[in-house]
């Protein structure tokens, strides 16, 4: 059992805070931190003349000193001819919510502006689990199940890997003032742990996870996983889910080559009842790792995808694993907007409204598009 995991991990998003410190001078006056900018080089003598003996920091590239000042010292230095400016070292707020590039790329942002959020649509994430205490996921994680019975893997809300939490964030990270934003930011997430913390699983386990999703009335199943060999049991279970009205989306696989030749789509994506999703970059070029072949059905962002990872973290992953949840998220947006559609009708609509990107063995019907599907 091979997992389609991130090929290249890159930069971690750092949410930095700089909190100003305030202290009290000997005479009881409150002191605040200021950045004192000199006209020429920093002159400690000037600061000392105003009773400022301690410099907290100086910079190499600009003549600036970080110091603590009373209100009186601040006013005095502000008017000194050799000082250009004195700025309060203001608190830097959290960087706020970053919208990952893939969200507007699939018309998620425009769909949100139209009031579409995936609210009420249930998406099962068959993966390594979801950290349901993550600050940017907690509100949307509504349930879960693990196919494992061992202590380490029996909790669907413990994601010792990070893969499932990342996939979940692309589908439905919360719209708030922090972290990232999911494609369908009010969809309900269900953590179905079919991959262990080491990222491996079995066809039997995946089949059990699909069955759980069907029995628990999931609308959409996302499977950012796969293997190179087929399993009749897995195929039957995927077909049963489709017959039960569930839309099933899976990563096409990361077995592509630079030339884009050959048939390398993995299972379960390759089954007729499952939508196989290929990965593109921000220029709509196929990621070189993205599997190719006639089974590719849709394309979605899968390069440098920023999303949630356990312990309130954020990270950028690459893979068709990251592309699949973009399609699951768009499907949630469209289904939320057009609740009367069957899964077959929704699938056909996603195909018909996709942006044609060329070679169907690389991109299928093309780049998934939320608004075009909603308006069609
Ligand atoms: Ca957020
Ligand atoms: Ca398929």
């Amino acid at each position: 059992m091979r997992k389609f995991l991130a090929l290249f991990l890159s930069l971690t998003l750092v949410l930095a805070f700089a909190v100003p410190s305030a202290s009290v001078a000997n005479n009881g006056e409150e002191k605040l931190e200021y950045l004192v900018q000199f006209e020429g080089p920093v002159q400690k003598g000037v600061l000392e003349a105003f009773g400022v003996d301690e410099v907290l920091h100086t910079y190499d590239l600009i003549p600036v000193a970080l110091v603590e000042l009373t209100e009186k010292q601040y006013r005095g230095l502000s008017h000194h001819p050799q000082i250009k400016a004195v700025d309060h070292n203001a608190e830097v707020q959290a960087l706020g919510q970053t919208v990952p590039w893939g969200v507007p790329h699939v018309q998620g942002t425009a769909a949100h502006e139209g009031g579409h959020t995936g609210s009420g649509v249930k998406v099962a994430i068959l993966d390594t689990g979801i950290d349901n205490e993550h600050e940017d996921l907690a509100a949307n994680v509504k349930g879960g199940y693990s196919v494992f019975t061992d202590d380490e893997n029996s909790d669907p809300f413990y994601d010792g890997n990070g893969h499932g939490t990342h996939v979940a964030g692309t589908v439905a990270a919360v719209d708030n003032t922090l972290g990232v934003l999911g494609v369908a930011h009010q969809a309900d997430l269900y953590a179905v742990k079919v991959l262990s913390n080491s990222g491996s699983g079995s066809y039997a386990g995946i089949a059990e996870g699909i069955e759980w999703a069907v029995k628990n009335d999931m609308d959409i199943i996302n499977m950012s996983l796969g293997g190179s060999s087929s399993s009749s049991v897995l195929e039957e279970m995927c077909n049963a889910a489709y017959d039960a009205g569930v839309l099933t989306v899976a990563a096409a696989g990361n077995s592509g080559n630079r030339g884009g030749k050959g048939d390398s789509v993995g299972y379960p994506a390759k089954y007729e009842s499952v939508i196989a999703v290929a990965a593109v970059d921000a220029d709509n070029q196929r990621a070189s790792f993205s599997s190719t072949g006639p089974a590719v059905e849709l394309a979605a962002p899968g390069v440098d995808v920023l999303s949630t990872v356990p312990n309130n973290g954020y990270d950028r992953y690459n893979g068709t694993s990251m592309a699949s949840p973009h399609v699951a998220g768009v499907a949630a947006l469209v289904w939320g907007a057009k609740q009367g559609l069957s899964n077959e009708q929704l699938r056909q609509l996603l195909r018909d409204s996709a942006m044609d990107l060329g070679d169907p063995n690389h991109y299928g019907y093309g780049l998934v598009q939320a608004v075009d599907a909603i308006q069609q």
Side-chain angles (χ1 to χ4, degrees):
M1 186 75 217
R2 191 160 38 95
K3 58 178 175 171
F4 292 138
L5 204 52
L7 288 181
F8 328 97
L9 299 179
S10 60
L11 292 173
T12 300
L13 176 71
V14 178
L15 292 174
F17 290 86
V19 180
S21 62
S23 62
V24 178
N26 290 335
N27 60 4
E29 262 190 285
E30 192 190 29
K31 295 171 88 174
L32 292 171
E33 285 187 4
Y34 288 87
L35 290 158
V36 180
Q37 187 175 3
F38 286 78
E39 288 287 357
V42 169
Q43 295 183 48
K44 291 197 174 162
V46 171
L47 296 171
E48 284 164 7
F50 286 88
V52 182
D53 298 315
E54 192 188 3
V55 174
L56 301 173
H57 188 74
T58 56
Y59 298 84
D60 293 324
L61 298 180
I62 50 172
V64 172
L66 175 64
V67 294
E68 284 188 331
L69 303 176
T70 63
E71 177 70 17
K72 192 177 167 193
Q73 289 169 327
Y74 162 72
R75 276 189 273 111
L77 283 166
S78 296
H79 295 102
H80 193 281
Q82 283 170 299
I83 288 173
K84 194 173 173 184
V86 182
D87 295 330
H88 180 219
N89 183 25
E91 181 173 356
V92 177
Q93 296 297 330
L95 296 177
Q97 181 172 265
T98 301
V99 178
W101 72 267
V103 176
H105 207 72
V106 298
Q107 298 181 330
T109 309
H112 302 162
E113 285 163 3
H116 306 293
T117 62
S119 177
V121 179
K122 296 177 180 177
V123 185
I125 308 294
L126 271 61
D127 215 294
T128 57
I130 301 175
D131 175 5
N132 70 334
E133 290 177 357
H134 195 291
E135 60 185 9
D136 218 6
L137 292 172
N140 286 342
V141 181
K142 299 295 167 67
Y145 175 74
S146 175
V147 303
F148 299 96
T149 52
D150 62 294
D151 285 350
E152 224 182 296
N153 293 294
S154 60
D155 180 1
F157 306 118
Y158 178 71
D159 176 9
N161 184 289
H163 191 264
T165 299
H166 196 279
V167 167
T170 295
V171 174
V174 176
D175 187 12
N176 48 20
T177 57
L178 49 86
V180 293
L181 178 67
V183 172
H185 58 77
Q186 288 189 323
D188 293 337
L189 294 169
Y190 289 80
V192 183
K193 191 171 171 97
V194 299
L195 299 177
S196 69
N197 295 324
S198 62
S200 60
S202 65
Y203 283 144
I206 296 167
E208 185 181 340
I210 295 170
E211 186 173 70
W212 183 91
V214 173
K215 283 183 172 172
N216 288 273
D217 296 322
M218 296 294 113
D219 299 302
I220 298 167
I221 293 173
N222 185 85
M223 290 188 280
S224 289
L225 52 84
S228 54
S229 58
S230 184
S231 150
S232 60
V233 169
L234 182 61
E235 182 168 19
E236 286 299 316
M237 192 61 84
C238 289
N239 293 347
Y242 199 53
D243 291 344
V246 180
L247 188 78
T248 307
V249 184
N254 296 346
S255 303
N257 50 52
R258 202 157 280 283
K261 303 277 190 249
D263 185 354
S264 52
V265 175
Y267 302 94
K270 203 166 184 176
Y271 299 133
E272 174 54 35
S273 56
V274 179
I275 297 175
V277 184
V280 295
D281 64 17
D283 296 322
N284 286 331
Q285 294 301 303
R286 181 186 69 92
S288 57
F289 56 76
S290 186
S291 289
T292 54
V296 171
E297 187 162 336
L298 289 168
V303 177
D304 203 25
V305 175
L306 179 65
S307 187
T308 46
V309 292
N311 303 315
N312 291 334
Y314 302 90
D315 207 346
R316 296 173 192 277
Y317 285 9
N318 301 283
T320 54
S321 283
M322 284 65 243
S324 181
H326 281 91
V327 171
V330 167
L333 289 176
V334 178
W335 228 343
K338 299 183 167 222
Q339 295 176 17
L341 293 181
S342 70
N343 60 339
E344 273 181 79
Q345 289 169 325
L346 174 60
R347 184 181 189 178
Q348 192 58 48
L349 185 55
L350 294 177
R351 292 171 172 176
D352 292 344
S353 58
M355 181 196 291
D356 186 7
L357 297 179
D359 192 338
N361 282 350
H362 291 185
Y363 308 106
Y365 289 85
L367 179 68
V368 72
Q369 297 284 274
V371 171
D372 290 346
I374 289 168
Q375 291 178 348
Q376 196 158 1

mmCIF file with all atom_site columns, all heavy atoms in Angstrom, residues 153-171:
data_model
loop_
_atom_site.group_PDB
_atom_site.id
_atom_site.type_symbol
_atom_site.label_atom_id
_atom_site.label_alt_id
_atom_site.label_comp_id
_atom_site.label_asym_id
_atom_site.label_entity_id
_atom_site.label_seq_id
_atom_site.pdbx_PDB_ins_code
_atom_site.Cartn_x
_atom_site.Cartn_y
_atom_site.Cartn_z
_atom_site.occupancy
_atom_site.B_iso_or_equiv
_atom_site.pdbx_formal_charge
_atom_site.auth_seq_id
_atom_site.auth_comp_id
_atom_site.auth_asym_id
_atom_site.auth_atom_id
_atom_site.pdbx_PDB_model_num
ATOM 1   N N   . ASN A 1 153 ? -3.371  4.173  16.818 1.00 0.00 ? 153 ASN A N   1
ATOM 2   C CA  . ASN A 1 153 ? -4.124  4.604  15.630 1.00 0.00 ? 153 ASN A CA  1
ATOM 3   C C   . ASN A 1 153 ? -5.643  4.550  15.778 1.00 0.00 ? 153 ASN A C   1
ATOM 4   O O   . ASN A 1 153 ? -6.364  4.815  14.818 1.00 0.00 ? 153 ASN A O   1
ATOM 5   C CB  . ASN A 1 153 ? -3.703  3.747  14.433 1.00 0.00 ? 153 ASN A CB  1
ATOM 6   C CG  . ASN A 1 153 ? -2.276  4.006  14.020 1.00 0.00 ? 153 ASN A CG  1
ATOM 7   O OD1 . ASN A 1 153 ? -1.945  5.096  13.552 1.00 0.00 ? 153 ASN A OD1 1
ATOM 8   N ND2 . ASN A 1 153 ? -1.405  3.026  14.228 1.00 0.00 ? 153 ASN A ND2 1
ATOM 9   N N   . SER A 1 154 ? -6.121  4.220  16.971 1.00 0.00 ? 154 SER A N   1
ATOM 10  C CA  . SER A 1 154 ? -7.563  4.025  17.129 1.00 0.00 ? 154 SER A CA  1
ATOM 11  C C   . SER A 1 154 ? -8.345  5.339  17.258 1.00 0.00 ? 154 SER A C   1
ATOM 12  O O   . SER A 1 154 ? -9.570  5.337  17.181 1.00 0.00 ? 154 SER A O   1
ATOM 13  C CB  . SER A 1 154 ? -7.843  3.140  18.344 1.00 0.00 ? 154 SER A CB  1
ATOM 14  O OG  . SER A 1 154 ? -7.320  3.753  19.505 1.00 0.00 ? 154 SER A OG  1
ATOM 15  N N   . ASP A 1 155 ? -7.636  6.446  17.454 1.00 0.00 ? 155 ASP A N   1
ATOM 16  C CA  . ASP A 1 155 ? -8.312  7.735  17.605 1.00 0.00 ? 155 ASP A CA  1
ATOM 17  C C   . ASP A 1 155 ? -8.294  8.492  16.269 1.00 0.00 ? 155 ASP A C   1
ATOM 18  O O   . ASP A 1 155 ? -7.231  8.890  15.804 1.00 0.00 ? 155 ASP A O   1
ATOM 19  C CB  . ASP A 1 155 ? -7.590  8.554  18.683 1.00 0.00 ? 155 ASP A CB  1
ATOM 20  C CG  . ASP A 1 155 ? -8.222  9.923  18.905 1.00 0.00 ? 155 ASP A CG  1
ATOM 21  O OD1 . ASP A 1 155 ? -9.226  10.242 18.239 1.00 0.00 ? 155 ASP A OD1 1
ATOM 22  O OD2 . ASP A 1 155 ? -7.685  10.667 19.745 1.00 0.00 ? 155 ASP A OD2 1
ATOM 23  N N   . PRO A 1 156 ? -9.475  8.689  15.643 1.00 0.00 ? 156 PRO A N   1
ATOM 24  C CA  . PRO A 1 156 ? -9.487  9.378  14.338 1.00 0.00 ? 156 PRO A CA  1
ATOM 25  C C   . PRO A 1 156 ? -9.077  10.849 14.438 1.00 0.00 ? 156 PRO A C   1
ATOM 26  O O   . PRO A 1 156 ? -8.759  11.466 13.430 1.00 0.00 ? 156 PRO A O   1
ATOM 27  C CB  . PRO A 1 156 ? -10.956 9.274  13.903 1.00 0.00 ? 156 PRO A CB  1
ATOM 28  C CG  . PRO A 1 156 ? -11.729 9.109  15.171 1.00 0.00 ? 156 PRO A CG  1
ATOM 29  C CD  . PRO A 1 156 ? -10.829 8.331  16.085 1.00 0.00 ? 156 PRO A CD  1
ATOM 30  N N   . PHE A 1 157 ? -9.101  11.377 15.673 1.00 0.00 ? 157 PHE A N   1
ATOM 31  C CA  . PHE A 1 157 ? -8.757  12.795 15.843 1.00 0.00 ? 157 PHE A CA  1
ATOM 32  C C   . PHE A 1 157 ? -7.294  12.980 16.238 1.00 0.00 ? 157 PHE A C   1
ATOM 33  O O   . PHE A 1 157 ? -6.866  14.074 16.572 1.00 0.00 ? 157 PHE A O   1
ATOM 34  C CB  . PHE A 1 157 ? -9.691  13.437 16.874 1.00 0.00 ? 157 PHE A CB  1
ATOM 35  C CG  . PHE A 1 157 ? -11.138 13.225 16.539 1.00 0.00 ? 157 PHE A CG  1
ATOM 36  C CD1 . PHE A 1 157 ? -11.975 12.527 17.378 1.00 0.00 ? 157 PHE A CD1 1
ATOM 37  C CD2 . PHE A 1 157 ? -11.650 13.713 15.333 1.00 0.00 ? 157 PHE A CD2 1
ATOM 38  C CE1 . PHE A 1 157 ? -13.309 12.318 17.050 1.00 0.00 ? 157 PHE A CE1 1
ATOM 39  C CE2 . PHE A 1 157 ? -12.981 13.507 14.992 1.00 0.00 ? 157 PHE A CE2 1
ATOM 40  C CZ  . PHE A 1 157 ? -13.806 12.806 15.850 1.00 0.00 ? 157 PHE A CZ  1
ATOM 41  N N   . TYR A 1 158 ? -6.550  11.878 16.234 1.00 0.00 ? 158 TYR A N   1
ATOM 42  C CA  . TYR A 1 158 ? -5.112  11.985 16.407 1.00 0.00 ? 158 TYR A CA  1
ATOM 43  C C   . TYR A 1 158 ? -4.463  11.713 15.051 1.00 0.00 ? 158 TYR A C   1
ATOM 44  O O   . TYR A 1 158 ? -4.563  10.605 14.519 1.00 0.00 ? 158 TYR A O   1
ATOM 45  C CB  . TYR A 1 158 ? -4.576  11.004 17.467 1.00 0.00 ? 158 TYR A CB  1
ATOM 46  C CG  . TYR A 1 158 ? -3.072  11.111 17.580 1.00 0.00 ? 158 TYR A CG  1
ATOM 47  C CD1 . TYR A 1 158 ? -2.488  12.244 18.160 1.00 0.00 ? 158 TYR A CD1 1
ATOM 48  C CD2 . TYR A 1 158 ? -2.230  10.135 17.047 1.00 0.00 ? 158 TYR A CD2 1
ATOM 49  C CE1 . TYR A 1 158 ? -1.107  12.396 18.217 1.00 0.00 ? 158 TYR A CE1 1
ATOM 50  C CE2 . TYR A 1 158 ? -0.854  10.271 17.097 1.00 0.00 ? 158 TYR A CE2 1
ATOM 51  C CZ  . TYR A 1 158 ? -0.301  11.401 17.678 1.00 0.00 ? 158 TYR A CZ  1
ATOM 52  O OH  . TYR A 1 158 ? 1.067   11.546 17.723 1.00 0.00 ? 158 TYR A OH  1
ATOM 53  N N   . ASP A 1 159 ? -3.863  12.730 14.496 1.00 0.00 ? 159 ASP A N   1
ATOM 54  C CA  . ASP A 1 159 ? -3.177  12.599 13.203 1.00 0.00 ? 159 ASP A CA  1
ATOM 55  C C   . ASP A 1 159 ? -1.677  12.703 13.449 1.00 0.00 ? 159 ASP A C   1
ATOM 56  O O   . ASP A 1 159 ? -1.116  13.792 13.482 1.00 0.00 ? 159 ASP A O   1
ATOM 57  C CB  . ASP A 1 159 ? -3.662  13.711 12.265 1.00 0.00 ? 159 ASP A CB  1
ATOM 58  C CG  . ASP A 1 159 ? -2.933  13.711 10.922 1.00 0.00 ? 159 ASP A CG  1
ATOM 59  O OD1 . ASP A 1 159 ? -2.181  12.746 10.650 1.00 0.00 ? 159 ASP A OD1 1
ATOM 60  O OD2 . ASP A 1 159 ? -3.118  14.673 10.152 1.00 0.00 ? 159 ASP A OD2 1
ATOM 61  N N   . GLY A 1 160 ? -1.063  11.558 13.649 1.00 0.00 ? 160 GLY A N   1
ATOM 62  C CA  . GLY A 1 160 ? 0.370   11.545 13.932 1.00 0.00 ? 160 GLY A CA  1
ATOM 63  C C   . GLY A 1 160 ? 1.210   11.765 12.696 1.00 0.00 ? 160 GLY A C   1
ATOM 64  O O   . GLY A 1 160 ? 2.440   11.774 12.762 1.00 0.00 ? 160 GLY A O   1
ATOM 65  N N   . ASN A 1 161 ? 0.563   11.951 11.566 1.00 0.00 ? 161 ASN A N   1
ATOM 66  C CA  . ASN A 1 161 ? 1.272   12.112 10.302 1.00 0.00 ? 161 ASN A CA  1
ATOM 67  C C   . ASN A 1 161 ? 1.223   13.554 9.797  1.00 0.00 ? 161 ASN A C   1
ATOM 68  O O   . ASN A 1 161 ? 2.240   14.143 9.428  1.00 0.00 ? 161 ASN A O   1
ATOM 69  C CB  . ASN A 1 161 ? 0.643   11.166 9.264  1.00 0.00 ? 161 ASN A CB  1
ATOM 70  C CG  . ASN A 1 161 ? 1.370   11.195 7.949  1.00 0.00 ? 161 ASN A CG  1
ATOM 71  O OD1 . ASN A 1 161 ? 1.305   12.176 7.222  1.00 0.00 ? 161 ASN A OD1 1
ATOM 72  N ND2 . ASN A 1 161 ? 2.104   10.134 7.661  1.00 0.00 ? 161 ASN A ND2 1
ATOM 73  N N   . GLY A 1 162 ? 0.040   14.118 9.766  1.00 0.00 ? 162 GLY A N   1
ATOM 74  C CA  . GLY A 1 162 ? -0.142  15.478 9.264  1.00 0.00 ? 162 GLY A CA  1
ATOM 75  C C   . GLY A 1 162 ? -0.874  15.536 7.938  1.00 0.00 ? 162 GLY A C   1
ATOM 76  O O   . GLY A 1 162 ? -1.507  16.537 7.605  1.00 0.00 ? 162 GLY A O   1
ATOM 77  N N   . HIS A 1 163 ? -0.814  14.436 7.204  1.00 0.00 ? 163 HIS A N   1
ATOM 78  C CA  . HIS A 1 163 ? -1.404  14.388 5.864  1.00 0.00 ? 163 HIS A CA  1
ATOM 79  C C   . HIS A 1 163 ? -2.911  14.647 5.891  1.00 0.00 ? 163 HIS A C   1
ATOM 80  O O   . HIS A 1 163 ? -3.432  15.491 5.157  1.00 0.00 ? 163 HIS A O   1
ATOM 81  C CB  . HIS A 1 163 ? -1.084  13.019 5.253  1.00 0.00 ? 163 HIS A CB  1
ATOM 82  C CG  . HIS A 1 163 ? -1.380  12.882 3.802  1.00 0.00 ? 163 HIS A CG  1
ATOM 83  N ND1 . HIS A 1 163 ? -2.557  12.333 3.338  1.00 0.00 ? 163 HIS A ND1 1
ATOM 84  C CD2 . HIS A 1 163 ? -0.649  13.194 2.716  1.00 0.00 ? 163 HIS A CD2 1
ATOM 85  C CE1 . HIS A 1 163 ? -2.535  12.312 2.017  1.00 0.00 ? 163 HIS A CE1 1
ATOM 86  N NE2 . HIS A 1 163 ? -1.385  12.838 1.612  1.00 0.00 ? 163 HIS A NE2 1
ATOM 87  N N   . GLY A 1 164 ? -3.626  13.933 6.758  1.00 0.00 ? 164 GLY A N   1
ATOM 88  C CA  . GLY A 1 164 ? -5.081  14.068 6.807  1.00 0.00 ? 164 GLY A CA  1
ATOM 89  C C   . GLY A 1 164 ? -5.524  15.448 7.258  1.00 0.00 ? 164 GLY A C   1
ATOM 90  O O   . GLY A 1 164 ? -6.519  15.996 6.749  1.00 0.00 ? 164 GLY A O   1
ATOM 91  N N   . THR A 1 165 ? -4.791  16.026 8.198  1.00 0.00 ? 165 THR A N   1
ATOM 92  C CA  . THR A 1 165 ? -5.123  17.366 8.690  1.00 0.00 ? 165 THR A CA  1
ATOM 93  C C   . THR A 1 165 ? -4.912  18.398 7.590  1.00 0.00 ? 165 THR A C   1
ATOM 94  O O   . THR A 1 165 ? -5.680  19.352 7.455  1.00 0.00 ? 165 THR A O   1
ATOM 95  C CB  . THR A 1 165 ? -4.276  17.674 9.938  1.00 0.00 ? 165 THR A CB  1
ATOM 96  O OG1 . THR A 1 165 ? -4.584  16.706 10.950 1.00 0.00 ? 165 THR A OG1 1
ATOM 97  C CG2 . THR A 1 165 ? -4.542  19.073 10.477 1.00 0.00 ? 165 THR A CG2 1
ATOM 98  N N   . HIS A 1 166 ? -3.878  18.186 6.773  1.00 0.00 ? 166 HIS A N   1
ATOM 99  C CA  . HIS A 1 166 ? -3.611  19.099 5.652  1.00 0.00 ? 166 HIS A CA  1
ATOM 100 C C   . HIS A 1 166 ? -4.728  19.013 4.617  1.00 0.00 ? 166 HIS A C   1
ATOM 101 O O   . HIS A 1 166 ? -5.252  20.031 4.144  1.00 0.00 ? 166 HIS A O   1
ATOM 102 C CB  . HIS A 1 166 ? -2.256  18.732 5.024  1.00 0.00 ? 166 HIS A CB  1
ATOM 103 C CG  . HIS A 1 166 ? -1.680  19.786 4.126  1.00 0.00 ? 166 HIS A CG  1
ATOM 104 N ND1 . HIS A 1 166 ? -2.078  19.937 2.813  1.00 0.00 ? 166 HIS A ND1 1
ATOM 105 C CD2 . HIS A 1 166 ? -0.756  20.750 4.355  1.00 0.00 ? 166 HIS A CD2 1
ATOM 106 C CE1 . HIS A 1 166 ? -1.392  20.945 2.281  1.00 0.00 ? 166 HIS A CE1 1
ATOM 107 N NE2 . HIS A 1 166 ? -0.589  21.455 3.194  1.00 0.00 ? 166 HIS A NE2 1
ATOM 108 N N   . VAL A 1 167 ? -5.115  17.801 4.288  1.00 0.00 ? 167 VAL A N   1
ATOM 109 C CA  . VAL A 1 167 ? -6.197  17.583 3.311  1.00 0.00 ? 167 VAL A CA  1
ATOM 110 C C   . VAL A 1 167 ? -7.504  18.218 3.821  1.00 0.00 ? 167 VAL A C   1
ATOM 111 O O   . VAL A 1 167 ? -8.214  18.906 3.077  1.00 0.00 ? 167 VAL A O   1
ATOM 112 C CB  . VAL A 1 167 ? -6.361  16.069 3.056  1.00 0.00 ? 167 VAL A CB  1
ATOM 113 C CG1 . VAL A 1 167 ? -7.658  15.765 2.322  1.00 0.00 ? 167 VAL A CG1 1
ATOM 114 C CG2 . VAL A 1 167 ? -5.149  15.530 2.282  1.00 0.00 ? 167 VAL A CG2 1
ATOM 115 N N   . ALA A 1 168 ? -7.790  18.009 5.111  1.00 0.00 ? 168 ALA A N   1
ATOM 116 C CA  . ALA A 1 168 ? -9.021  18.553 5.705  1.00 0.00 ? 168 ALA A CA  1
ATOM 117 C C   . ALA A 1 168 ? -9.056  20.075 5.608  1.00 0.00 ? 168 ALA A C   1
ATOM 118 O O   . ALA A 1 168 ? -10.107 20.665 5.321  1.00 0.00 ? 168 ALA A O   1
ATOM 119 C CB  . ALA A 1 168 ? -9.132  18.113 7.166  1.00 0.00 ? 168 ALA A CB  1
ATOM 120 N N   . GLY A 1 169 ? -7.917  20.710 5.831  1.00 0.00 ? 169 GLY A N   1
ATOM 121 C CA  . GLY A 1 169 ? -7.861  22.174 5.780  1.00 0.00 ? 169 GLY A CA  1
ATOM 122 C C   . GLY A 1 169 ? -8.146  22.715 4.395  1.00 0.00 ? 169 GLY A C   1
ATOM 123 O O   . GLY A 1 169 ? -8.775  23.775 4.253  1.00 0.00 ? 169 GLY A O   1
ATOM 124 N N   . THR A 1 170 ? -7.715  22.019 3.374  1.00 0.00 ? 170 THR A N   1
ATOM 125 C CA  . THR A 1 170 ? -8.009  22.478 2.007  1.00 0.00 ? 170 THR A CA  1
ATOM 126 C C   . THR A 1 170 ? -9.513  22.408 1.735  1.00 0.00 ? 170 THR A C   1
ATOM 127 O O   . THR A 1 170 ? -10.076 23.289 1.101  1.00 0.00 ? 170 THR A O   1
ATOM 128 C CB  . THR A 1 170 ? -7.219  21.642 0.988  1.00 0.00 ? 170 THR A CB  1
ATOM 129 O OG1 . THR A 1 170 ? -5.824  21.899 1.188  1.00 0.00 ? 170 THR A OG1 1
ATOM 130 C CG2 . THR A 1 170 ? -7.604  21.994 -0.443 1.00 0.00 ? 170 THR A CG2 1
ATOM 131 N N   . VAL A 1 171 ? -10.163 21.389 2.268  1.00 0.00 ? 171 VAL A N   1
ATOM 132 C CA  . VAL A 1 171 ? -11.611 21.289 2.072  1.00 0.00 ? 171 VAL A CA  1
ATOM 133 C C   . VAL A 1 171 ? -12.331 22.356 2.889  1.00 0.00 ? 171 VAL A C   1
ATOM 134 O O   . VAL A 1 171 ? -13.168 23.091 2.347  1.00 0.00 ? 171 VAL A O   1
ATOM 135 C CB  . VAL A 1 171 ? -12.137 19.896 2.476  1.00 0.00 ? 171 VAL A CB  1
ATOM 136 C CG1 . VAL A 1 171 ? -13.667 19.853 2.405  1.00 0.00 ? 171 VAL A CG1 1
ATOM 137 C CG2 . VAL A 1 171 ? -11.537 18.813 1.589  1.00 0.00 ? 171 VAL A CG2 1
#
